[in-house]
Amino acid sequence: MLVFDTKEAIRAYLNSIKTDKTTIGFVPTMGALHLGHLSLIKESLIQNSITIVSIFVNPTQFNNPEDLAKYPRTLERDIQKINSLDSSILVFSPTATDIYEGDIQSEHFDFDGIENQMEGKFRTGHFDGVGTIVKKLFQIISPTNAYFGEKDFQQLQIIRKLVQKNNLSVNIIQCPIYREANGLAMSSRNERLSPLEKEQAALLYRTLLEVKNDFLIKDNYEINSWVASVFENHPTIKLEYFQIADEATLLPCKNNKNKVSCRAFITVFINNIRLIDTISLN
């Protein structure tokens, strides 16, 4: 397995092996790989002649310094997991200095307002950081296809806007959420949860399933009130926000019976560990 730690090195290697028929699949990650990440990599292996996985904890998308400091970093274990899938996979694990050329700052983006909804309200500058790093990685790798999990659905829509507005030649492939046996959406942050907290966190998915069941028979005010009540007096889990939103605009859905595709989004804290989940409603 080849591991590259500078953009110049991976560019030079790709230029030496690419042909007109080469297709490159790209899976950008921040490491601490789990089965959800591996499912994206497997999909890329099926669909492309070359698969590249990046492992880089991007500092510009963290609005909370403590969250950045505590984010799990397990590079050697991640490389072993990738190698167990296929030794031909290329790994790109650069430093922040290399990626940002010594100036660790975000570019500012206009994503037609979807950056101001939900996560954008609670994580100032987050999507500028996401847009900055994804744009840089796309320019370095020049992928044919890039794979992203549905759990970070708002991020997925942001990246689609990024590609559209910057005329980037890459197909964005949406992949389903990979869940623990109890329904908890797999996340690198789950590594920070105790076994008991993991069991408690399964409440997120159970809540979303109930919302899906009620979506066409109850109005959104009633659903929102019920979700708030579920977490109001919970001893461990604190609700940050819950929203039913239009998948395209991410604005709140006002009518559950129209033809707009709606999705429920939920974000909570468990002992200062932030978890998100989402489910399609119709």
Side-chain angles (χ1 to χ4, degrees), residues 26-30 37 40 52-55 134 137-138 146-148:
F26 179 45
V27 183
T29 82
M30 292 206 297
H37 292 116
L40 305 184
I52 301 172
V53 179
S54 66
I55 299 173
V134 172
L137 289 170
F138 283 176
Y147 297 80
F148 295 88

Side-chain angles (χ1 to χ4, degrees), residues 145-207:
N145 303 298
Y147 297 80
F148 295 88
E150 193 177 287
K151 179 175 71 72
D152 296 286
F153 189 84
Q154 186 173 9
Q155 173 179 279
L156 183 65
Q157 297 298 67
I158 288 285
I159 291 165
R160 285 177 170 138
K161 285 283 186 186
L162 177 78
V163 168
Q164 174 194 338
K165 285 177 167 284
N166 289 274
N167 297 312
L168 302 175
S169 181
V170 52
N171 301 313
I172 303 302
I173 310 297
Q174 176 178 330
C175 298
I177 297 172
Y178 216 88
R179 297 185 179 277
E180 307 275 1
N182 66 3
L184 174 63
M186 288 193 177
S187 168
S188 298
R189 287 187 172 89
N190 291 359
E191 288 200 1
R192 296 173 56 195
L193 299 172
S194 69
L196 175 60
E197 288 167 341
K198 279 191 176 181
E199 285 305 311
Q200 293 172 329
L203 179 59
L204 273 74
Y205 188 50
R206 293 201 303 271
T207 301

Side-chain angles (χ1 to χ4, degrees), residues 202-254:
L203 179 59
L204 273 74
Y205 188 50
R206 293 201 303 271
T207 301
L208 290 177
L209 289 176
E210 191 66 28
V211 169
K212 187 177 179 75
N213 288 336
D214 290 346
F215 181 63
L216 293 178
I217 58 176
K218 296 181 180 179
D219 63 41
N220 286 357
Y221 177 80
E222 187 176 359
I223 292 173
N224 277 278
S225 297
W226 175 77
V227 171
S229 71
V230 168
F231 296 95
E232 186 175 10
N233 296 309
H234 196 283
T236 307
I237 306 176
K238 303 303 176 187
L239 180 68
E240 183 174 54
Y241 70 80
F242 169 80
Q243 184 163 311
I244 295 174
D246 180 326
E247 286 194 348
T249 66
L250 299 182
L251 294 171
C253 284
K254 296 181 180 179

